[in-house]
Amino acid sequence: MLDVVLFVVGAVALVFACLFAHLERWSITPSLLGLVVGIAIGPQALDLLALPDGERIAILHRAAQLLLAVALMGTALRYPSGAVRQRVREVTLLLVVVLPVMAAVLADGATWTLPMSAGAALVLGTALSPTDPVLAAGIVTGQPAETDIPDRGRQVLSLESGANDGLAQPLVVIAIAIALGRPLTSALGQAAYEVGSAAVLGTVVGLAAGRALRWAEQHREISPSVAEFTVDETLNQFLVIPVFVLFGASLPWAAWGSLGWGAGGFVAAALFLRRLPIVLLLKRPMRGSWLHLTWLGWFGPIGIAALFYLGHADRQGLTDPTLWAAGTLAIAVSTVVHGLSAGPARVAYRRASVGRGD
């Protein structure tokens, strides 16, 4: 299996590198390309790659954890602290208001459309609520995005996707406790410890890394753009592609079929009701144009962060097969739909913003 993964990943990375400009213009991101290749070599097609049944979720969970770590570091390196301060208002509203409401909307939608308990639906809603930093990076980075989308939109989406993965942790932990009938006080304590310790450790390590980079730049050991470039290249070529190849090869097609017609309703809710209406309703406090808020509301992709939380729920003992099936279906559809719509939306944004200053 490892030989197949290494060969396929190397071949896909080579193709992506050779056709980078064309693929970027057509909105073919490494994640979308990896997903398609994974499906092609998976058990439903060429049958060249199949993860062991008993280890599939654990492998994907660990892969998602590694990719998230690098993606969040890339997000932090992408924007200076000054840009963060300028977007505090919008990002705070997205984290404090939009994130929990998205979780509630998805949980309610799952209860009405899928054959699952209210507790499992709550876990599903919280797991799928964060805007994914991996897929968001493919939307906001690159020359076409930097040309067509104003800094404000790209910065807000990046900063939100970088912050909400960790902040969704308490919601997921509490939801798992409710689903499994565990004490809420223990779950709250666990969530506070995990988020608090991670914040402290991240601050210390981040400050130390920042000082080290500034020292290296001052002594001309590296150029200012080297760190960001290296992280983005690693993310795009050596982590995104293999993770999505594994994910594509592991899609539970039979389990998706067992969800029935309600699966279509749930996916529609995840795409059109989870985020866009909520963001538009916050037009006044967000202080943005309809164009800006429509773009920001549409692009809240569901991806690796959700995969990580679904794996975490499974590790905690919540092994409801409907939870995994519905969650992976939403991730796969979001990867395709948000990936393919990035290019047309980018062009539409540019044309609509001409003369408006958005």
Side-chain angles (χ1 to χ4, degrees):
M1 182 183 74
L2 181 60
D3 293 341
V4 173
V5 173
L6 291 176
F7 174 78
V8 170
V9 168
V12 174
L14 180 61
V15 170
F16 188 83
C18 293
L19 303 176
F20 176 77
H22 297 287
L23 295 176
E24 185 179 50
R25 187 162 53 251
W26 299 332
S27 297
I28 306 297
T29 60
S31 54
L32 180 56
L33 191 60
L35 177 66
V36 172
V37 171
I39 294 173
I41 66 173
Q44 301 298 321
L46 298 177
D47 197 18
L48 299 177
L49 176 63
L51 298 183
D53 290 339
E55 302 176 14
R56 182 180 299 119
I57 296 178
I59 292 173
L60 291 174
H61 176 256
R62 184 61 67 185
Q65 186 178 37
L66 177 61
L67 179 53
L68 271 179
V70 178
L72 295 177
M73 183 169 61
T75 300
L77 290 173
R78 195 173 298 129
Y79 301 113
S81 57
V84 176
R85 288 193 294 269
Q86 292 176 3
R87 312 304 177 198
V88 166
R89 182 184 183 87
E90 285 183 276
V91 173
T92 300
L93 285 169
L94 290 171
L95 297 176
V96 176
V97 179
V98 177
L99 178 64
V101 174
M102 286 195 296
V105 168
L106 282 178
D108 187 60
T111 302
W112 284 97
T113 59
L114 299 174
M116 62 193 317
S117 65
L122 184 60
V123 174
L124 181 62
T126 56
L128 302 187
S129 60
T131 298
D132 187 64
V134 177
L135 298 183
I139 297 168
V140 302
T141 58
Q143 187 60 45
E146 294 173 2
T147 300
D148 297 338
I149 306 298
D151 290 344
R152 179 185 180 182
R154 292 185 294 105
Q155 290 172 358
V156 170
L157 184 58
S158 291
L159 295 172
E160 178 213 358
S161 67
N164 66 7
D165 295 314
L167 295 179
Q169 174 80 356
L171 300 179
V172 175
V173 170
I174 293 171
I176 292 174
I178 293 175
L180 296 177
R182 295 174 179 173
L184 284 180
T185 52
S186 176
L188 289 171
Q190 176 188 350
Y193 169 75
E194 291 177 351
V195 173
S197 59
V200 172
L201 181 61
T203 300
V204 172
V205 174
L207 289 173
R211 290 182 179 274
L213 285 175
R214 283 194 295 271
W215 180 90
E217 291 172 7
Q218 291 169 0
H219 291 77
R220 298 186 178 181
E221 297 292 336
I222 61 172
S223 65
S225 62
V226 166
E228 177 184 339
F229 176 80
T230 302
V231 170
D232 285 343
E233 285 299 300
T234 302
L235 176 66
N236 288 334
Q237 296 187 20
F238 298 106
L239 285 179
V240 171
I241 292 174
V243 172
F244 275 91
V245 166
L246 290 175
F247 178 62
S250 305
L251 295 179
W253 298 92
W256 288 355
S258 67
L259 294 177
W261 291 104
F266 176 73
V267 170
L271 290 177
F272 301 107
L273 300 180
R274 161 181 167 265
R275 178 180 175 90
L276 180 58
I278 307 166
V279 173
L280 293 178
L281 287 173
L282 293 175
K283 183 180 187 301
R284 178 171 294 182
M286 293 281 283
R287 299 176 181 173
S289 67
W290 289 114
L291 178 60
H292 167 72
L293 294 178
T294 300
W295 183 87
L296 188 64
W298 170 248
F299 286 110
I302 303 169
I304 295 300
L307 189 64
F308 169 77
Y309 282 126
L310 291 172
H312 177 70
D314 185 81
R315 290 186 61 187
Q316 293 296 312
L318 190 59
T319 57
D320 185 345
T322 303
L323 175 63
W324 180 257
T328 53
L329 177 61
I331 294 170
V333 172
S334 178
T335 301
V336 175
V337 172
H338 285 115
L340 292 179
S341 63
R346 187 180 66 236
V347 174
Y349 197 117
R350 183 188 67 233
R351 292 175 176 173
S353 61
V354 172
R356 297 180 49 171
D358 288 336

